[in-house]
Amino acid sequence: MKHLEHEPRVTRSGGPAPSSHHRRTTHRKRYRERQIKRSEKFGADHLAHPAGVKMFSYRRVKNDQRDAADLADLLRMGRLPEAWIAPPATRELCGWVRHRAKLVGLRSNLKCQVHAVLAGAGVAVPMSDLFGPSGQRLLGSARLSLESRSRVDSLLGLITALDVEIDTFATLVAGRLRADPGYRAIQAFPGVGPTLAAVFVAEVGEISRFARPGQLASWAGLTPIHHESDTRVRRGRITKQGSRLVRWAAVEAVQRVPGHTRLGQRRDRVAERRGRSIGVVAAARDLVTLVFYGLRDHHLRCLAAPAA
């Protein structure tokens, strides 16, 4: 029987059997053909928004077959709540921006730990920036115990390493957006620099998917909750849905905007009646409106202060 081990396999037609590589290639080819036929039949891919199909989880009988049938019915009727599928280039840029934001958050946490160690050791910090030149001299000359000194040195080393990584990703993002006209336009807004502009461009993506600035503000979660039934209308806090990073960027930009600007006047005017926090949110919503026009038209609008 040994001579049979070296004999080639044959098919019923008498020809040699296909090799494993040939079978894999044929399988991949047929799979691609099925995918092409499926895309031609059903069109582009659709991503259902989780908040829009949340009611599925309240059914008594829930399984994949019923979910798929209901989603297909909604899509056929044009009632499927869809989420935007970002192109690969936008997802890559958004990943860089979010990664940098996470690194900055880690660095802030480490700096807070340094402040905590100094407070526990009874060291007063008279300067506003502990990690500036004067703060570094204080950290080097402070009389600390061995345990506290080792913790401070470890934290400072981690902060230095994070500084390098943060600068690296900031350079990558700036290089990617250098030729983007919307990125350059929105940097002229009060309080918006390269970092916050990159957040707006990366998180918003294609501005053409929003028909008006109110849709962008609603997507960013800066519009109030609205409940209406018959003649009763109740509006509550902002929804805080959508991109948390966009809300942070808008609020951060208007925090210290000069009072003589349009955004500053809006913030201070609302703050006098409703409080500082609500005034900041109102100004942030106005800033998102300006960002919409800046990304869409690539030039500035409504920046001049209103006439007294």
Side-chain angles (χ1 to χ4, degrees):
M1 299 296 293
K2 293 184 178 180
H3 66 283
L4 297 178
E5 297 177 358
H6 303 283
E7 293 181 359
R9 296 174 55 193
V10 297
T11 60
R12 293 183 180 181
S13 60
S19 62
S20 59
H21 174 72
H22 178 73
R23 289 195 299 270
R24 289 194 299 269
T25 305
T26 304
H27 175 74
R28 288 194 294 266
K29 182 178 179 181
R30 291 177 180 174
Y31 176 77
R32 287 194 296 268
E33 291 176 352
R34 289 196 300 267
Q35 292 294 102
I36 293 174
K37 292 180 180 179
R38 175 181 176 275
S39 62
E40 292 175 351
K41 182 178 180 180
F42 298 103
D45 294 332
H46 299 270
L47 178 63
H49 198 289
V53 295
K54 188 178 181 180
M55 75 290 294
F56 288 5
S57 60
Y58 297 107
R59 295 185 306 200
R60 295 184 177 181
V61 179
K62 183 184 182 302
N63 51 47
D64 294 343
Q65 290 78 12
R66 291 198 59 181
D67 290 348
D70 291 342
L71 290 174
D73 291 339
L74 291 174
L75 178 61
R76 183 168 55 252
M77 294 184 295
R79 301 294 301 274
L80 180 67
E82 296 189 49
W84 180 60
I85 304 177
T90 303
R91 291 199 299 268
E92 181 181 358
L93 176 63
C94 194
W96 284 353
V97 171
R98 293 178 180 179
H99 183 68
R100 184 193 177 279
K102 290 180 180 179
L103 293 178
V104 172
L106 292 175
R107 184 180 62 180
S108 300
N109 181 274
L110 295 176
K111 290 182 177 181
C112 291
Q113 293 186 47
V114 174
H115 279 278
V117 172
L118 295 182
V123 178
V125 182
M127 66 286 300
S128 59
D129 185 10
L130 178 59
F131 302 93
S134 59
Q136 293 293 335
R137 290 192 295 269
L138 174 63
L139 290 172
S141 60
R143 301 183 62 180
L144 301 173
S145 63
L146 177 62
E147 183 269 342
S148 298
R149 173 56 62 184
S150 61
R151 289 178 60 188
V152 169
D153 292 342
S154 175
L155 292 169
L156 292 178
L158 293 174
I159 291 173
T160 302
L162 285 176
D163 287 337
V164 175
E165 296 297 326
I166 291 171
D167 293 340
T168 299
F169 281 93
T171 303
L172 290 174
V173 172
R176 175 68 65 87
L177 296 176
R178 185 177 294 110
D180 190 292
Y183 173 72
R184 296 195 302 267
I186 62 178
Q187 288 189 52
F189 297 151
V192 179
T195 300
L196 299 184
V199 170
F200 286 124
V201 174
E203 292 290 325
V204 173
E206 297 177 1
I207 194 62
S208 58
R209 61 194 179 104
F210 300 103
R212 55 186 185 275
Q215 292 183 350
L216 178 59
S218 177
W219 170 83
L222 290 171
T223 54
I225 298 173
H226 182 93
H227 293 283
E228 181 175 354
S229 179
D230 194 18
T231 59
R232 182 179 180 181
V233 179
R234 184 176 66 87
R235 294 184 176 88
R237 300 177 180 271
I238 59 175
T239 62
K240 294 186 178 181
Q241 295 182 348
S243 174
R244 182 182 301 178
L245 204 55
V246 169
R247 288 196 304 277
W248 167 83
V251 171
E252 186 72 16
V254 301
Q255 285 281 0
R256 296 178 177 84
V257 169
H260 62 83
T261 61
R262 175 179 292 271
L263 294 176
Q265 292 181 3
R266 167 73 165 170
R267 178 198 62 204
D268 298 338
R269 186 169 60 251
V270 176
E272 291 178 358
R273 297 183 291 106
R274 306 290 303 278
R276 171 75 180 184
S277 298
I278 297 180
V280 168
V281 172
R285 185 161 53 245
D286 289 352
L287 175 61
V288 170
T289 300
L290 297 178
V291 168
F292 171 84
Y293 289 114
L295 294 178
R296 190 192 69 174
D297 303 333
H298 303 158
H299 61 84
L300 309 181
R301 288 190 176 190
C302 304
L303 288 185

